[in-house]
Structures are given as structure tokens and as C-alpha cells.
Amino acid sequence: MQAIVYERYGSPDVMQLREIAQPVPRAGEVLVKVHAASVNMADWHLLTADIFLVRLAAGLFKPKRSILGIDVAGRVETVGAGSRRFQPGDAVFGDLFPNHGSFAEYVAVPESILETMPVNLSFAQAAAVPLAAMTALQGLRLGRIAAGQRVLINGASGGVGSFTVQLAKYFGAEVTAVCSSGNVEQARILGADQVIDYKREDFTTAGRQYDLIVAPYSAVPLSAYRRVLSPRGRYVMIGGQGSLFFQLMVFGPLLSKKGGQTFSLLSAKGNAQDLAFLKELLAAGKLRPVIDRHYPLAQTAEALRYLGAGHARGKVVIDVVQEAV
Ligand SMILES: NC(=O)c1ccc[n+]([C@@H]2O[C@H](COP(=O)([O-])OP(=O)(O)OC[C@H]3O[C@@H](n4cnc5c(N)ncnc54)[C@H](OP(=O)(O)O)[C@@H]3O)[C@@H](O)[C@H]2O)c1
């Protein structure tokens, strides 16, 4: 089969299209013929090892697993011993993390992490969902989202942000989206009640307060968030500048008070229950993936380079099988 292989950490230039052996599903796994994958910042971190901690988990000197790709959508090709949930031919999607390997024509996947695809989605749309949408859902739940809350989403236009806006609206919140000028219209279309263009206005000095702030992108220090959170407001950091992660890890627990403001860091984990919940919303048309760009498998390095530049508008998809339009 064809796969995008990397054998050392580095820029997208280290990725190569190669012919390699097809994986064989073990007990409890199914072999999926990959129709589409999508790229995530986790792939970027695993490729570049720009965060040193990546090396502790993925290999100190070189990556232990040579194929990236966490999100997958495709058809079950064969099933391993004891796998009973799916039949060959079923259309499935899922989030492979902490494993990866969907930048390839086939991947062996534990059946427990997959869900059947909603029938109204293409493979490309389904591949855009799992990691980003589950992260958005878990971020909002960590912040105890409730109907009627004033929720601000900082970094509302990327993969995670575009799902966070839609899910916050689904939960009945009044949503303020923060994004750059070119993405203001998209945030409105996704349902945001107010949109702040961070290039023109600083929400930390605008005098408004929020019950929940969820940040798929954060470049704002905790002291500024404290000002704009209501007295019992919650802040959930999902992504952003590395120094702010450390600030949150050190000072978050000290600043979080019972009955007062709380500051937490999300560590999202894919699971079949959350994917099933999202599948229902997708099937009912209450949630939709926003796809910025499509790339063929051979141009996965280009897709990662684009994502790594930090301004994708929604998700970036790899079409492993070109679908008829
Ligand atoms: N904690 C977890 O468990 C977890 C799980 C998954 C992902 N993540 C992290 O979450 C982050 C977002 O992931 P993603 O897939 O959504 O990435 P993405 O698709 O690349 O989106 C990043 C977004 O950040 C926005 N942005 C850049 N500068 C900004 C600024 N100054 N103010 C506000 N927004 C700004 C960009 O919007 P504009 O183009 O409009 O500027 C872009 O759309 C990443 O750092 C990722 O590593 C964390």
C-alpha cells in the first residue's frame, strides 16, 4: 500500500510517499481502507517534536511509529479475531490517538474507537470531525457549559474553534467568537451572537464579562482572563502559546477557588461515547464540519505546512481516495 512515512523528526520535508506492507488487524482490531484523513496540530507536534515532551511519548531520538494521521474515515476491509462490531464494507470514522497511521491507504484500528459514519456525510466531512469536535465537546463540558451562559471562544475559526462555536450554541449559550478579520463572517454563519475581530478590538479591555471562556487559541495571560471572567466564571485552555500552558499549570490551581473563578487545561481523550453523541448531531444537521482545504495523499506534507502556519479556517482534509463529486 502507499503511505506517507517519516523516520526522523523535522519539517514536513522529512515525509515521503512510500510503498509499504499493508497492516494486518490483530484481535479486537479492524482493517480500514482509508478514504479520507484530516490533519491536526497533534500531527504537527509529532512530526516536528517542537514540544520536547513529544519525544518522551513518541520516541526520544526518532519516532517509534512512522506513519502520522489521527483522524480517519473509510470502509472496513477485514476484521480481526473477536471483532464483532463491524462488517466488511461498513463506513466508519474515528480518532486513533494516542496511536496514528491514517496517512496511508490502510490502517489497523481497535474497533472500540470507531463509529459508523452518519449517512449524510462524505468521507472527507467525516474525517474532519473526530479529534477536533471531541476536543471542542470536552472543553465545553470541562467548563460546565449551560444554557443562557455568556461564553467567549478565543480562536473560534480553526478546526477546534469552528466546532466549539457550534456546540456552544447547541448547548444554548450566548456565544462571542474571537477570530481574525477574514473569519468574522464564518463565525457568524456558524451561529456566534457576537464576533470580535482580534485585530481591531481587545476583548480583555472591552469591559464585558463572561461565564465561560474556552480558548482553542490563547495568547492572553491569566491576569487578563481574570478581569473578563464573571466572579464564578470558568476558563478552559485548549491550545495556544506554550508559555501560557506552563503559567496555567503552575498558577491555575492556586487561582481556582471553590465557588469562585476556575482555570483549567483540557487534556482531550477520544472515546466512542462522545463520537456517538457527535454523530447524532451531525446526522440531525445540528453540527457540520467546516473544511478549508483538501489535499491528495501525496501532498500531505503541504497540508501539514499549511496547518502549521496557524491560520487554517476550519479543517484541512487528506483525500486518500478521490470521491466522485
Ligand atoms: N488540549 C487538548 O487536549 C487539545 C486537543 C486538540 C487540540 N489542541 C490544541 O488546540 C489548538 C487548536 O487546534 P486546531 O486544530 O483548532 O488548530 P488550527 O485549526 O490551526 O486553528 C488555530 C486557530 O488559531 C487562530 N488564531 C491564531 N492566532 C490567533 C490570535 N492571536 N487570537 C485568536 N485566534 C488566533 C487562527 O484563527 P485566525 O486565522 O482567525 O487567526 C486559527 O484558526 C492547537 O494548539 C492544538 O494543539 C489541544
Side-chain angles (χ1 to χ4, degrees), residues 67-278:
I67 307 176
L68 291 169
I70 294 163
D71 280 327
V72 66
R75 284 197 190 277
V76 173
E77 183 83 3
T78 56
V79 301
S83 300
R84 292 194 183 85
R85 279 187 71 206
F86 301 105
Q87 303 289 323
D90 286 351
V92 293
F93 70 141
D95 164 354
L96 312 183
F97 197 80
N99 290 326
H100 38 90
S102 62
F103 298 159
E105 290 181 308
Y106 294 89
V107 62
V109 183
E111 64 167 5
S112 57
I113 63 154
L114 293 172
E115 222 355 287
T116 50
M117 264 172 51
V119 290
N120 56 332
L121 259 59
S122 65
F123 286 107
Q125 288 172 315
V129 171
L131 189 148
M134 280 195 273
T135 300
L137 178 63
Q138 291 172 21
L140 289 167
R141 283 184 175 156
L142 181 61
R144 300 196 192 160
I145 180 120
Q149 281 180 339
R150 289 157 300 163
V151 176
L152 180 133
I153 297 156
N154 194 14
S157 52
V160 176
S162 56
F163 284 114
T164 313
V165 171
Q166 295 180 73
L167 287 169
K169 283 306 297 176
Y170 169 77
F171 288 118
E174 185 198 314
V175 173
T176 300
V178 181
C179 58
S180 62
S181 322
N183 292 323
V184 167
E185 191 50 30
Q186 175 189 282
R188 286 215 178 92
I189 291 168
L190 293 179
D193 300 285
Q194 287 91 36
V195 185
I196 296 175
D197 173 353
Y198 66 76
K199 297 206 166 155
R200 291 164 182 258
E201 189 183 345
D202 178 356
F203 73 87
T204 69
T205 54
R208 284 185 290 265
Q209 286 201 320
Y210 300 91
D211 305 304
L212 170 62
I213 297 177
V214 178
Y217 181 90
S218 191
V220 175
L222 285 185
S223 53
Y225 281 126
R226 291 181 77 190
R227 249 192 340 261
V228 288
L229 275 178
S230 61
R232 305 181 76 164
R234 293 174 178 272
Y235 167 62
V236 176
M237 180 172 181
I238 296 179
Q241 291 181 353
S243 58
L244 295 174
F245 276 103
F246 291 107
Q247 195 184 74
L248 190 57
M249 279 193 280
V250 175
F251 296 109
L254 297 174
L255 293 173
S256 299
K257 301 252 173 350
K258 205 167 178 222
Q261 295 178 337
T262 64
F263 300 83
S264 13
L265 184 60
L266 178 71
S267 176
K269 288 181 186 64
N271 65 78
Q273 290 82 352
D274 284 354
L275 196 56
F277 174 81
L278 293 164

